[in-house]
Amino acid sequence: MTFSFCADEACRRRISGLGRPQVLLVGIEAHVCVFQTALDLLAMQMRPVVLADAVGSRRPSDYTVAMDGLRAAGVTVTTVESAIFQLLHESGTELFKRMLPVVR
């Protein structure tokens, strides 16, 4: 029921318990839920990465303002394809071959 994922105690414990410093964010209402979650993750000393082509807002102006605000706050904004290739690190691997249909 909270706008930020991190405002829910169980969710916050779960994400903290994973021990991963970086969190990929996708979702709807970039200017509300995604925005608040990203800022809360920053406050938790985590590194949120918003996948710009996997978030949205009903109004284009809300989306644009949200992405600008996230960048200004220090949140990384990138694309799904870019994030996938950053995670893969190299081509030619079996994992790369399995992921190729996703990015095509």
Side-chain angles (χ1 to χ4, degrees):
M1 296 302 293
T2 61
F3 293 123
S4 171
F5 177 88
C6 300
D8 180 276
E9 179 64 30
C11 293
R12 191 172 51 255
R13 277 197 316 270
R14 174 75 171 130
I15 199 94
S16 293
L18 294 174
R20 297 174 186 231
Q22 200 169 49
V23 178
L24 301 178
L25 292 177
V26 302
I28 56 172
E29 302 309 342
H31 60 293
V32 180
C33 300
V34 175
F35 193 87
Q36 289 182 30
T37 298
L39 295 183
D40 285 348
L41 289 168
L42 281 176
M44 293 168 59
Q45 305 301 310
M46 300 184 87
R47 294 190 325 250
V49 177
V50 173
L51 304 182
D53 52 341
V55 300
S57 295
R58 285 171 291 147
R59 289 182 291 278
S61 62
D62 287 332
Y63 174 86
T64 300
V65 170
M67 294 303 108
D68 290 346
L70 289 167
R71 286 185 191 96
V75 174
T76 300
V77 178
T78 191
T79 65
V80 171
E81 184 172 327
S82 179
I84 289 171
F85 285 121
Q86 285 178 331
L87 291 169
L88 289 172
H89 297 288
E90 63 183 294
S91 64
T93 66
E94 192 57 41
L95 183 55
F96 174 83
K97 292 173 187 171
R98 288 196 324 249
M99 290 303 297
L100 210 49
V102 173
V103 297
R104 287 196 172 158

Coordinates of all heavy atoms in Angstrom, one line a residue:
M1 N 0.8 -1.2 0.0 CA 0.0 0.0 0.0 C 0.9 1.3 0.0 O 0.3 2.4 -0.1 CB -0.9 0.0 1.2 CG -1.9 -1.1 1.2 SD -3.0 -1.2 -0.2 CE -4.0 0.3 0.0
T2 N 2.2 1.1 0.2 CA 3.0 2.3 0.2 C 3.5 2.6 -1.2 O 3.6 1.7 -2.1 CB 4.3 2.1 1.1 OG1 5.0 1.0 0.6 CG2 3.8 1.8 2.5
F3 N 3.8 3.8 -1.5 CA 4.3 4.2 -2.8 C 5.7 3.7 -3.0 O 6.1 3.3 -4.1 CB 4.2 5.7 -3.0 CG 2.8 6.2 -3.1 CD1 2.4 7.2 -2.2 CD2 1.9 5.7 -4.0 CE1 1.1 7.7 -2.3 CE2 0.6 6.2 -4.1 CZ 0.2 7.2 -3.2
S4 N 6.6 3.8 -2.0 CA 7.9 3.3 -2.1 C 8.0 1.9 -1.6 O 7.5 1.5 -0.5 CB 8.9 4.2 -1.2 OG 10.2 3.6 -1.1
F5 N 8.7 1.1 -2.3 CA 8.9 -0.3 -2.0 C 9.6 -0.4 -0.6 O 9.3 -1.2 0.2 CB 9.8 -1.0 -3.0 CG 10.2 -2.4 -2.8 CD1 9.4 -3.4 -3.2 CD2 11.4 -2.6 -2.1 CE1 9.8 -4.7 -2.9 CE2 11.8 -4.0 -1.9 CZ 11.0 -5.0 -2.3
C6 N 10.5 0.6 -0.4 CA 11.3 0.6 0.9 C 10.5 1.1 2.1 O 10.9 0.9 3.2 CB 12.5 1.5 0.7 SG 13.6 1.0 -0.7
A7 N 9.3 1.6 1.9 CA 8.5 2.1 3.0 C 7.9 0.9 3.8 O 7.4 1.0 4.9 CB 7.4 3.1 2.6
D8 N 7.8 -0.2 3.1 CA 7.3 -1.4 3.7 C 8.4 -2.2 4.4 O 9.4 -2.5 3.8 CB 6.6 -2.3 2.6 CG 6.1 -3.6 3.2 OD1 6.8 -4.6 3.4 OD2 4.8 -3.6 3.5
E9 N 8.3 -2.4 5.7 CA 9.4 -2.9 6.5 C 9.8 -4.3 6.0 O 11.1 -4.5 5.9 CB 8.9 -3.1 8.0 CG 10.0 -3.7 8.9 CD 11.2 -2.8 9.1 OE1 11.2 -1.6 8.9 OE2 12.3 -3.4 9.3
A10 N 8.9 -5.2 5.7 CA 9.3 -6.5 5.2 C 10.1 -6.4 3.8 O 11.1 -7.1 3.6 CB 8.1 -7.4 5.0
C11 N 9.6 -5.5 3.0 CA 10.3 -5.3 1.7 C 11.7 -4.8 1.9 O 12.7 -5.2 1.3 CB 9.5 -4.5 0.8 SG 7.9 -5.2 0.3
R12 N 11.8 -3.8 2.8 CA 13.1 -3.2 3.1 C 14.1 -4.2 3.6 O 15.2 -4.2 3.2 CB 12.9 -2.0 4.0 CG 14.1 -1.1 4.2 CD 13.9 0.2 5.0 NE 13.3 0.0 6.3 CZ 12.0 0.2 6.5 NH1 11.2 0.7 5.6 NH2 11.5 0.0 7.7
R13 N 13.6 -5.0 4.5 CA 14.5 -6.1 5.1 C 14.9 -7.0 4.0 O 16.1 -7.5 4.0 CB 13.8 -6.8 6.2 CG 13.8 -6.1 7.6 CD 13.5 -7.1 8.7 NE 12.3 -7.9 8.5 CZ 11.0 -7.5 8.8 NH1 10.8 -6.4 9.3 NH2 10.0 -8.4 8.5
R14 N 14.0 -7.4 3.2 CA 14.3 -8.4 2.1 C 15.3 -7.8 1.1 O 16.3 -8.5 0.8 CB 13.0 -8.7 1.3 CG 13.2 -9.5 0.1 CD 13.4 -11.0 0.5 NE 13.4 -11.8 -0.7 CZ 14.3 -12.7 -1.0 NH1 15.3 -12.9 -0.2 NH2 14.2 -13.4 -2.1
I15 N 15.2 -6.6 0.7 CA 16.2 -6.0 -0.2 C 17.5 -5.8 0.4 O 18.6 -6.0 -0.2 CB 15.6 -4.7 -0.9 CG1 16.4 -4.4 -2.2 CG2 15.7 -3.5 0.0 CD1 15.7 -4.9 -3.4
S16 N 17.5 -5.4 1.7 CA 18.8 -5.2 2.4 C 19.5 -6.6 2.6 O 20.7 -6.6 2.6 CB 18.5 -4.6 3.8 OG 18.1 -3.2 3.6
G17 N 18.7 -7.6 2.9 CA 19.2 -8.9 3.2 C 19.9 -9.6 2.0 O 20.6 -10.6 2.1
L18 N 19.6 -9.1 0.8 CA 20.2 -9.7 -0.4 C 21.7 -9.4 -0.5 O 22.4 -10.2 -1.2 CB 19.5 -9.2 -1.7 CG 18.1 -9.6 -1.8 CD1 17.5 -9.0 -3.1 CD2 18.0 -11.2 -2.0
G19 N 22.2 -8.4 0.2 CA 23.6 -8.1 0.2 C 24.1 -7.6 -1.2 O 25.3 -7.7 -1.4
R20 N 23.2 -7.0 -2.0 CA 23.7 -6.5 -3.3 C 23.5 -5.0 -3.2 O 22.5 -4.5 -2.9 CB 22.8 -7.1 -4.4 CG 23.0 -8.6 -4.5 CD 22.0 -9.2 -5.5 NE 22.1 -10.6 -5.4 CZ 22.3 -11.4 -6.5 NH1 22.4 -10.8 -7.7 NH2 22.4 -12.7 -6.4
P21 N 24.6 -4.3 -3.6 CA 24.5 -2.8 -3.5 C 23.7 -2.1 -4.6 O 23.3 -1.0 -4.4 CB 26.0 -2.4 -3.6 CG 26.6 -3.5 -4.4 CD 25.9 -4.8 -4.1
Q22 N 23.5 -2.8 -5.7 CA 22.8 -2.2 -6.8 C 21.4 -2.8 -7.0 O 21.3 -4.0 -6.9 CB 23.7 -2.4 -8.1 CG 23.4 -1.5 -9.2 CD 24.4 -1.6 -10.3 OE1 24.8 -2.7 -10.7 NE2 24.9 -0.4 -10.7
V23 N 20.4 -2.0 -7.3 CA 19.1 -2.5 -7.5 C 18.6 -1.9 -8.8 O 18.6 -0.7 -9.0 CB 18.1 -2.0 -6.3 CG1 16.7 -2.5 -6.6 CG2 18.7 -2.5 -5.0
L24 N 18.1 -2.8 -9.7 CA 17.5 -2.4 -10.9 C 16.0 -2.2 -10.7 O 15.3 -3.0 -10.1 CB 17.6 -3.5 -12.0 CG 19.1 -3.9 -12.4 CD1 19.1 -5.0 -13.4 CD2 19.9 -2.7 -12.9
L25 N 15.5 -1.0 -11.1 CA 14.1 -0.6 -10.8 C 13.3 -0.6 -12.1 O 13.7 0.1 -13.1 CB 14.0 0.7 -10.2 CG 14.5 0.8 -8.7 CD1 14.4 2.3 -8.2 CD2 13.7 -0.1 -7.8
V26 N 12.2 -1.2 -12.1 CA 11.2 -1.1 -13.2 C 9.8 -0.9 -12.6 O 9.6 -1.2 -11.4 CB 11.2 -2.4 -14.1 CG1 12.5 -2.7 -14.6 CG2 10.7 -3.6 -13.2
G27 N 8.9 -0.4 -13.3 CA 7.5 -0.2 -12.7 C 6.8 0.9 -13.4 O 7.2 1.5 -14.4
I28 N 5.6 1.1 -12.8 CA 4.7 2.2 -13.3 C 4.8 3.4 -12.4 O 5.2 3.3 -11.3 CB 3.3 1.7 -13.5 CG1 2.7 1.1 -12.2 CG2 3.3 0.6 -14.6 CD1 1.3 0.7 -12.3
E29 N 4.3 4.5 -13.0 CA 4.2 5.8 -12.2 C 5.6 6.1 -11.8 O 5.9 6.2 -10.6 CB 3.2 5.8 -11.1 CG 1.8 5.5 -11.6 CD 1.3 6.3 -12.7 OE1 1.9 7.4 -13.0 OE2 0.3 5.9 -13.4
A30 N 6.5 6.4 -12.8 CA 7.9 6.7 -12.5 C 8.0 7.9 -11.6 O 9.0 8.0 -10.8 CB 8.6 7.0 -13.9
H31 N 7.1 8.8 -11.7 CA 7.2 10.0 -10.9 C 6.7 9.8 -9.4 O 6.8 10.7 -8.6 CB 6.4 11.2 -11.5 CG 4.9 10.9 -11.7 ND1 4.5 9.9 -12.6 CD2 3.8 11.4 -11.2 CE1 3.2 9.8 -12.5 NE2 2.7 10.7 -11.7
V32 N 6.1 8.7 -9.1 CA 5.6 8.4 -7.8 C 6.4 7.2 -7.2 O 7.3 7.4 -6.4 CB 4.1 8.2 -7.8 CG1 3.6 7.9 -6.4 CG2 3.3 9.3 -8.4
C33 N 6.0 6.0 -7.5 CA 6.5 4.8 -6.9 C 8.0 4.6 -7.2 O 8.8 4.4 -6.3 CB 5.7 3.6 -7.3 SG 4.0 3.7 -6.9
V34 N 8.3 4.7 -8.5 CA 9.7 4.5 -8.9 C 10.6 5.6 -8.3 O 11.7 5.3 -7.7 CB 9.9 4.4 -10.4 CG1 11.3 4.3 -10.8 CG2 9.1 3.2 -11.0
F35 N 10.2 6.8 -8.3 CA 10.9 7.9 -7.8 C 11.1 7.8 -6.3 O 12.3 7.9 -5.8 CB 10.1 9.2 -8.1 CG 10.9 10.5 -7.9 CD1 11.7 11.0 -8.9 CD2 10.9 11.1 -6.7 CE1 12.5 12.1 -8.7 CE2 11.6 12.3 -6.5 CZ 12.4 12.8 -7.5
Q36 N 10.1 7.5 -5.6 CA 10.2 7.4 -4.1 C 11.1 6.2 -3.7 O 11.9 6.3 -2.8 CB 8.8 7.3 -3.4 CG 8.1 8.6 -3.5 CD 6.8 8.6 -2.8 OE1 6.6 7.8 -1.8 NE2 5.8 9.4 -3.3
T37 N 10.9 5.1 -4.4 CA 11.7 3.9 -4.1 C 13.2 4.2 -4.4 O 14.1 3.8 -3.6 CB 11.3 2.7 -5.0 OG1 9.9 2.4 -4.6 CG2 12.1 1.5 -4.7
A38 N 13.5 4.8 -5.5 CA 14.9 5.2 -5.8 C 15.5 6.1 -4.8 O 16.7 5.8 -4.3 CB 15.0 5.8 -7.2
L39 N 14.8 7.1 -4.3 CA 15.4 8.0 -3.3 C 15.5 7.3 -2.0 O 16.5 7.5 -1.3 CB 14.5 9.2 -3.1 CG 14.4 10.1 -4.4 CD1 13.5 11.3 -4.0 CD2 15.8 10.5 -4.9
D40 N 14.6 6.4 -1.6 CA 14.8 5.6 -0.4 C 15.9 4.6 -0.5 O 16.7 4.5 0.5 CB 13.5 4.8 -0.1 CG 12.4 5.7 0.4 OD1 12.6 6.9 0.8 OD2 11.2 5.2 0.5
L41 N 16.2 4.0 -1.6 CA 17.3 3.2 -1.8 C 18.6 4.0 -1.6 O 19.6 3.5 -1.0 CB 17.3 2.5 -3.1 CG 16.2 1.4 -3.3 CD1 16.1 1.0 -4.8 CD2 16.5 0.2 -2.4
L42 N 18.7 5.2 -2.2 CA 19.8 6.0 -2.0 C 20.1 6.3 -0.5 O 21.2 6.2 0.0 CB 19.7 7.4 -2.7 CG 19.9 7.4 -4.2 CD1 19.6 8.8 -4.7 CD2 21.3 7.0 -4.5
A43 N 19.0 6.6 0.2 CA 19.1 6.8 1.7 C 19.6 5.6 2.4 O 20.2 5.7 3.5 CB 17.8 7.3 2.2
M44 N 19.4 4.4 1.9 CA 19.8 3.2 2.5 C 21.2 2.8 2.0 O 21.7 1.7 2.3 CB 18.8 2.0 2.1 CG 17.5 2.2 2.7 SD 16.3 1.0 1.9 CE 17.0 -0.6 2.3
Q45 N 21.9 3.7 1.3 CA 23.3 3.5 0.9 C 23.3 2.5 -0.2 O 24.4 1.8 -0.4 CB 24.2 3.2 2.0 CG 24.2 4.2 3.1 CD 24.6 5.6 2.7 OE1 25.6 5.8 2.0 NE2 23.8 6.6 3.0
M46 N 22.3 2.3 -1.0 CA 22.3 1.4 -2.1 C 22.4 2.2 -3.4 O 22.2 3.4 -3.4 CB 21.0 0.5 -2.1 CG 20.9 -0.3 -0.8 SD 19.5 -1.4 -0.8 CE 20.2 -2.8 -1.6
R47 N 22.6 1.5 -4.5 CA 22.7 2.2 -5.8 C 21.5 1.8 -6.7 O 21.6 0.8 -7.4 CB 24.0 1.9 -6.5 CG 25.2 2.4 -5.7 CD 26.5 2.3 -6.5 NE 26.7 1.1 -7.3 CZ 27.5 0.1 -7.0 NH1 28.2 0.1 -6.0 NH2 27.5 -0.9 -7.9
P48 N 20.5 2.6 -6.7 CA 19.4 2.3 -7.6 C 19.7 2.6 -9.1 O 20.4 3.6 -9.4 CB 18.3 3.2 -7.1 CG 18.9 4.3 -6.4 CD 20.2 3.8 -5.9
V49 N 19.3 1.8 -10.0 CA 19.4 2.0 -11.4 C 18.0 1.9 -12.0 O 17.4 0.8 -12.0 CB 20.4 0.9 -12.0 CG1 20.4 1.1 -13.5 CG2 21.8 1.0 -11.4
V50 N 17.5 3.0 -12.6 CA 16.2 3.0 -13.2 C 16.3 2.6 -14.6 O 17.1 3.3 -15.4 CB 15.5 4.4 -13.0 CG1 14.2 4.4 -13.7 CG2 15.3 4.6 -11.5
L51 N 15.6 1.7 -15.1 CA 15.6 1.2 -16.5 C 14.5 2.1 -17.2 O 13.3 1.8 -17.1 CB 15.4 -0.3 -16.6 CG 16.4 -1.1 -15.8 CD1 16.1 -2.6 -16.0 CD2 17.8 -0.8 -16.2
A52 N 15.0 3.1 -17.9 CA 14.1 4.1 -18.4 C 13.0 3.6 -19.3 O 11.9 4.1 -19.4 CB 14.9 5.2 -19.1
D53 N 13.4 2.5 -20.1 CA 12.4 2.0 -21.0 C 11.5 0.9 -20.4 O 10.8 0.2 -21.1 CB 13.1 1.5 -22.3 CG 14.2 0.5 -22.1 OD1 14.8 0.5 -21.0 OD2 14.6 -0.1 -23.0
A54 N 11.7 0.7 -19.1 CA 10.9 -0.3 -18.3 C 10.1 0.4 -17.2 O 9.6 -0.3 -16.3 CB 11.7 -1.4 -17.8
V55 N 10.0 1.7 -17.2 CA 9.2 2.5 -16.3 C 8.3 3.4 -17.1 O 8.6 3.7 -18.3 CB 10.0 3.3 -15.3 CG1 10.8 2.3 -14.4 CG2 10.8 4.3 -15.9
G56 N 7.2 3.9 -16.5 CA 6.4 4.8 -17.3 C 5.5 5.6 -16.4 O 5.4 5.4 -15.2
S57 N 4.9 6.6 -16.9 CA 3.9 7.5 -16.3 C 2.8 7.7 -17.3 O 3.0 7.7 -18.5 CB 4.6 8.8 -15.9 OG 5.6 8.6 -14.9
R58 N 1.6 8.0 -16.7 CA 0.5 8.3 -17.6 C 0.8 9.5 -18.5 O 0.4 9.5 -19.7 CB -0.8 8.5 -16.8 CG -1.3 7.1 -16.3 CD -2.5 7.3 -15.4 NE -1.9 7.9 -14.1 CZ -2.5 8.8 -13.4 NH1 -3.7 9.2 -13.6 NH2 -1.9 9.3 -12.3
R59 N 1.4 10.5 -17.9 CA 1.6 11.8 -18.6 C 3.1 11.9 -19.0 O 4.0 11.7 -18.1 CB 1.2 13.0 -17.8 CG -0.3 13.1 -17.7 CD -0.7 14.4 -16.9 NE -0.4 14.3 -15.5 CZ -1.1 13.6 -14.6 NH1 -2.3 13.0 -15.0 NH2 -0.8 13.6 -13.4
P60 N 3.5 12.2 -20.2 CA 4.9 12.3 -20.6 C 5.6 13.3 -19.8 O 6.8 13.1 -19.4 CB 4.8 12.7 -22.1 CG 3.5 12.2 -22.6 CD 2.6 12.3 -21.4
S61 N 5.0 14.4 -19.4 CA 5.7 15.4 -18.6 C 6.1 14.9 -17.2 O 7.2 15.2 -16.7 CB 4.8 16.7 -18.4 OG 3.6 16.4 -17.8
D62 N 5.2 14.0 -16.6 CA 5.6 13.4 -15.3 C 6.8 12.5 -15.5 O 7.7 12.5 -14.6 CB 4.4 12.6 -14.8 CG 3.3 13.5 -14.2 OD1 3.6 14.6 -13.8 OD2 2.1 13.0 -14.3
Y63 N 6.8 11.7 -16.6 CA 8.0 10.8 -16.8 C 9.2 11.6 -17.0 O 10.3 11.3 -16.4 CB 7.7 10.0 -18.1 CG 8.9 9.2 -18.5 CD1 9.0 7.9 -18.0 CD2 9.8 9.6 -19.4 CE1 10.1 7.1 -18.4 CE2 10.9 8.9 -19.8 CZ 11.0 7.6 -19.3 OH 12.1 6.8 -19.6
T64 N 9.2 12.7 -17.8 CA 10.4 13.5 -18.0 C 10.9 14.1 -16.8 O 12.1 14.1 -16.5 CB 10.1 14.6 -19.1 OG1 9.7 13.9 -20.3 CG2 11.3 15.4 -19.4
V65 N 10.0 14.7 -16.0 CA 10.4 15.4 -14.8 C 11.0 14.3 -13.8 O 12.0 14.6 -13.1 CB 9.2 16.1 -14.1 CG1 9.6 16.6 -12.7 CG2 8.9 17.3 -15.0
A66 N 10.4 13.1 -13.7 CA 10.9 12.1 -12.9 C 12.3 11.7 -13.3 O 13.2 11.6 -12.4 CB 10.0 10.9 -12.9
M67 N 12.6 11.4 -14.5 CA 13.9 11.0 -15.0 C 14.9 12.1 -14.7 O 16.0 11.8 -14.2 CB 13.9 10.7 -16.5 CG 13.1 9.4 -16.9 SD 13.5 7.9 -16.0 CE 12.1 7.8 -14.9
D68 N 14.6 13.4 -15.0 CA 15.5 14.5 -14.7 C 15.8 14.6 -13.2 O 16.9 14.7 -12.8 CB 14.9 15.8 -15.2 CG 14.8 15.9 -16.7 OD1 15.5 15.1 -17.4 OD2 14.1 16.8 -17.2
G69 N 14.8 14.4 -12.4 CA 14.9 14.5 -10.9 C 15.8 13.3 -10.4 O 16.6 13.5 -9.5
L70 N 15.6 12.2 -10.9 CA 16.4 11.0 -10.5 C 17.8 11.2 -10.8 O 18.7 11.0 -10.0 CB 15.8 9.7 -11.1 CG 14.5 9.3 -10.6 CD1 13.9 8.2 -11.5 CD2 14.6 8.8 -9.2
R71 N 18.1 11.6 -12.0 CA 19.5 11.9 -12.4 C 20.1 13.0 -11.5 O 21.3 12.8 -11.0 CB 19.6 12.4 -13.8 CG 19.4 11.3 -14.9 CD 19.6 11.8 -16.3 NE 19.2 10.8 -17.3 CZ 18.0 10.8 -17.9 NH1 17.1 11.8 -17.6 NH2 17.6 9.9 -18.7
A72 N 19.4 14.0 -11.2 CA 19.9 15.1 -10.4 C 20.2 14.6 -8.9 O 21.1 15.1 -8.3 CB 18.9 16.3 -10.3
A73 N 19.4 13.6 -8.5 CA 19.6 13.0 -7.2 C 20.8 12.0 -7.1 O 21.1 11.6 -6.0 CB 18.3 12.4 -6.7
G74 N 21.3 11.7 -8.3 CA 22.4 10.7 -8.3 C 22.0 9.3 -8.6 O 22.9 8.4 -8.5
V75 N 20.8 9.1 -9.1 CA 20.4 7.8 -9.5 C 20.8 7.6 -11.0 O 20.7 8.4 -11.8 CB 18.8 7.7 -9.4 CG1 18.3 6.4 -10.0 CG2 18.4 7.9 -8.0
T76 N 21.3 6.4 -11.3 CA 21.7 6.0 -12.6 C 20.4 5.7 -13.4 O 19.5 4.9 -12.9 CB 22.6 4.8 -12.6 OG1 23.8 5.1 -11.9 CG2 23.0 4.4 -14.1
V77 N 20.3 6.3 -14.6 CA 19.1 6.0 -15.5 C 19.7 5.5 -16.7 O 20.6 6.1 -17.4 CB 18.3 7.3 -15.8 CG1 17.2 7.0 -16.7 CG2 17.8 7.9 -14.5
T78 N 19.3 4.3 -17.1 CA 19.8 3.6 -18.3 C 18.7 2.8 -19.0 O 17.5 3.0 -18.7 CB 21.0 2.7 -17.9 OG1 21.7 2.3 -19.2 CG2 20.6 1.5 -17.1
T79 N 19.0 1.9 -19.9 CA 18.0 1.1 -20.6 C 18.1 -0.3 -20.2 O 19.2 -0.8 -19.7 CB 18.1 1.3 -22.1 OG1 19.4 0.7 -22.5 CG2 18.0 2.7 -22.5
V80 N 17.1 -1.1 -20.5 CA 17.1 -2.5 -20.3 C 18.3 -3.2 -21.0 O 19.0 -3.9 -20.4 CB 15.8 -3.2 -20.7 CG1 15.9 -4.7 -20.6 CG2 14.6 -2.7 -19.8
E81 N 18.4 -2.9 -22.3 CA 19.5 -3.5 -23.1 C 20.8 -3.1 -22.5 O 21.7 -4.0 -22.4 CB 19.4 -3.0 -24.5 CG 20.4 -3.7 -25.4 CD 20.2 -3.4 -26.9 OE1 19.1 -3.3 -27.3 OE2 21.2 -3.4 -27.6
S82 N 21.0 -1.9 -22.2 CA 22.3 -1.5 -21.6 C 22.6 -2.2 -20.3 O 23.7 -2.7 -20.1 CB 22.4 0.0 -21.3 OG 23.6 0.4 -20.8
A83 N 21.6 -2.4 -19.4 CA 21.8 -3.1 -18.2 C 22.1 -4.6 -18.4 O 23.0 -5.1 -17.7 CB 20.5 -3.0 -17.3
I84 N 21.4 -5.2 -19.4 CA 21.7 -6.6 -19.7 C 23.2 -6.8 -20.1 O 23.9 -7.6 -19.6 CB 20.7 -7.1 -20.8 CG1 19.3 -7.3 -20.2 CG2 21.2 -8.4 -21.3 CD1 18.3 -7.6 -21.2
F85 N 23.6 -5.9 -21.0 CA 25.0 -6.1 -21.5 C 26.0 -5.7 -20.4 O 27.1 -6.3 -20.3 CB 25.2 -5.2 -22.7 CG 24.6 -5.8 -24.0 CD1 23.7 -5.1 -24.7 CD2 25.0 -7.1 -24.4 CE1 23.1 -5.7 -25.8 CE2 24.4 -7.7 -25.5 CZ 23.5 -7.0 -26.2
Q86 N 25.7 -4.8 -19.5 CA 26.6 -4.6 -18.4 C 26.7 -5.8 -17.5 O 27.8 -6.1 -16.9 CB 26.1 -3.4 -17.6 CG 26.4 -2.0 -18.3 CD 25.9 -0.9 -17.5 OE1 24.9 -1.0 -16.7 NE2 26.5 0.3 -17.6
L87 N 25.6 -6.5 -17.3 CA 25.6 -7.7 -16.4 C 26.3 -8.8 -17.1 O 27.0 -9.6 -16.4 CB 24.1 -8.1 -16.1 CG 23.4 -7.1 -15.2 CD1 21.9 -7.5 -15.1 CD2 24.0 -7.2 -13.8
L88 N 26.2 -8.9 -18.4 CA 26.8 -10.0 -19.1 C 28.4 -9.8 -19.3 O 29.1 -10.8 -19.3 CB 26.2 -10.1 -20.6 CG 24.8 -10.6 -20.6 CD1 24.3 -10.5 -22.0 CD2 24.7 -12.1 -20.1
H89 N 28.8 -8.7 -19.4 CA 30.3 -8.3 -19.5 C 30.9 -8.7 -20.8 O 31.9 -8.1 -21.1 CB 31.1 -8.9 -18.3 CG 30.7 -8.4 -17.0 ND1 30.9 -7.1 -16.6 CD2 30.0 -9.0 -16.0 CE1 30.5 -6.9 -15.4 NE2 29.9 -8.0 -15.0
E90 N 30.5 -9.8 -21.4 CA 31.2 -10.2 -22.6 C 30.2 -11.0 -23.5 O 29.3 -11.6 -23.1 CB 32.4 -11.0 -22.3 CG 32.1 -12.3 -21.6 CD 33.4 -13.1 -21.2 OE1 34.1 -13.6 -22.1 OE2 33.6 -13.2 -20.0
S91 N 30.6 -11.0 -24.8 CA 29.8 -11.8 -25.8 C 30.4 -13.2 -25.9 O 31.5 -13.5 -25.4 CB 29.7 -11.1 -27.1 OG 31.0 -11.1 -27.7
G92 N 29.7 -14.1 -26.6 CA 30.2 -15.4 -26.9 C 30.0 -16.4 -25.8 O 30.2 -17.6 -26.0
T93 N 29.6 -16.0 -24.7 CA 29.3 -17.0 -23.6 C 27.9 -17.7 -23.8 O 27.1 -17.2 -24.6 CB 29.3 -16.3 -22.2 OG1 28.2 -15.4 -22.1 CG2 30.6 -15.6 -22.0
E94 N 27.7 -18.7 -23.1 CA 26.4 -19.4 -23.2 C 25.3 -18.5 -22.7 O 24.2 -18.5 -23.3 CB 26.5 -20.7 -22.4 CG 25.3 -21.6 -22.7 CD 25.1 -22.0 -24.2 OE1 26.1 -22.3 -24.8 OE2 24.0 -22.0 -24.6
L95 N 25.6 -17.8 -21.6 CA 24.5 -16.9 -21.1 C 24.2 -15.8 -22.1 O 23.1 -15.4 -22.3 CB 25.0 -16.3 -19.8 CG 24.0 -15.4 -19.1 CD1 22.7 -16.1 -18.8 CD2 24.6 -14.9 -17.8
F96 N 25.3 -15.3 -22.8 CA 25.0 -14.2 -23.8 C 24.1 -14.8 -24.9 O 23.2 -14.1 -25.3 CB 26.4 -13.8 -24.4 CG 26.2 -12.8 -25.5 CD1 26.0 -11.5 -25.3 CD2 26.3 -13.3 -26.8 CE1 25.9 -10.6 -26.4 CE2 26.2 -12.5 -27.9 CZ 25.9 -11.1 -27.7
K97 N 24.4 -16.0 -25.3 CA 23.6 -16.6 -26.4 C 22.2 -16.8 -26.0 O 21.2 -16.6 -26.8 CB 24.2 -17.9 -26.8 CG 25.5 -17.8 -27.5 CD 26.2 -19.1 -27.8 CE 27.6 -18.9 -28.3 NZ 28.4 -20.2 -28.4
R98 N 21.9 -17.1 -24.7 CA 20.6 -17.3 -24.2 C 19.8 -15.9 -24.1 O 18.6 -15.9 -24.2 CB 20.6 -18.0 -22.9 CG 20.9 -19.5 -23.0 CD 20.5 -20.3 -21.8 NE 20.7 -19.6 -20.5 CZ 21.6 -19.9 -19.6 NH1 22.5 -20.9 -19.8 NH2 21.7 -19.3 -18.5
M99 N 20.6 -14.9 -23.8 CA 20.0 -13.5 -23.6 C 19.8 -12.8 -24.9 O 19.0 -11.9 -24.9 CB 20.9 -12.7 -22.7 CG 20.9 -13.2 -21.2 SD 19.2 -13.2 -20.5 CE 18.7 -11.5 -20.5
L100 N 20.4 -13.2 -26.0 CA 20.4 -12.5 -27.2 C 18.9 -12.3 -27.7 O 18.6 -11.2 -28.2 CB 21.2 -13.2 -28.3 CG 21.8 -12.3 -29.3 CD1 22.5 -11.1 -28.8 CD2 22.8 -13.1 -30.2
P101 N 18.1 -13.3 -27.7 CA 16.7 -13.1 -28.1 C 15.9 -12.1 -27.3 O 15.0 -11.4 -27.8 CB 16.0 -14.5 -27.9 CG 17.2 -15.5 -27.9 CD 18.3 -14.7 -27.3
V102 N 16.3 -11.8 -26.1 CA 15.6 -10.8 -25.2 C 15.9 -9.4 -25.8 O 15.0 -8.6 -25.8 CB 16.1 -11.0 -23.8 CG1 15.6 -9.9 -22.9 CG2 15.7 -12.3 -23.2
V103 N 17.1 -9.2 -26.2 CA 17.5 -7.8 -26.7 C 17.2 -7.6 -28.1 O 17.3 -6.5 -28.6 CB 19.0 -7.5 -26.3 CG1 19.2 -7.5 -24.8 CG2 19.9 -8.4 -27.0
R104 N 16.9 -8.6 -28.9 CA 16.6 -8.4 -30.3 C 15.2 -8.0 -30.5 O 14.2 -8.1 -30.0 CB 16.9 -9.7 -31.1 CG 18.4 -9.9 -31.2 CD 18.7 -10.8 -32.3 NE 20.1 -10.8 -32.5 CZ 20.8 -11.8 -33.0 NH1 20.2 -12.9 -33.4 NH2 22.1 -11.7 -33.1

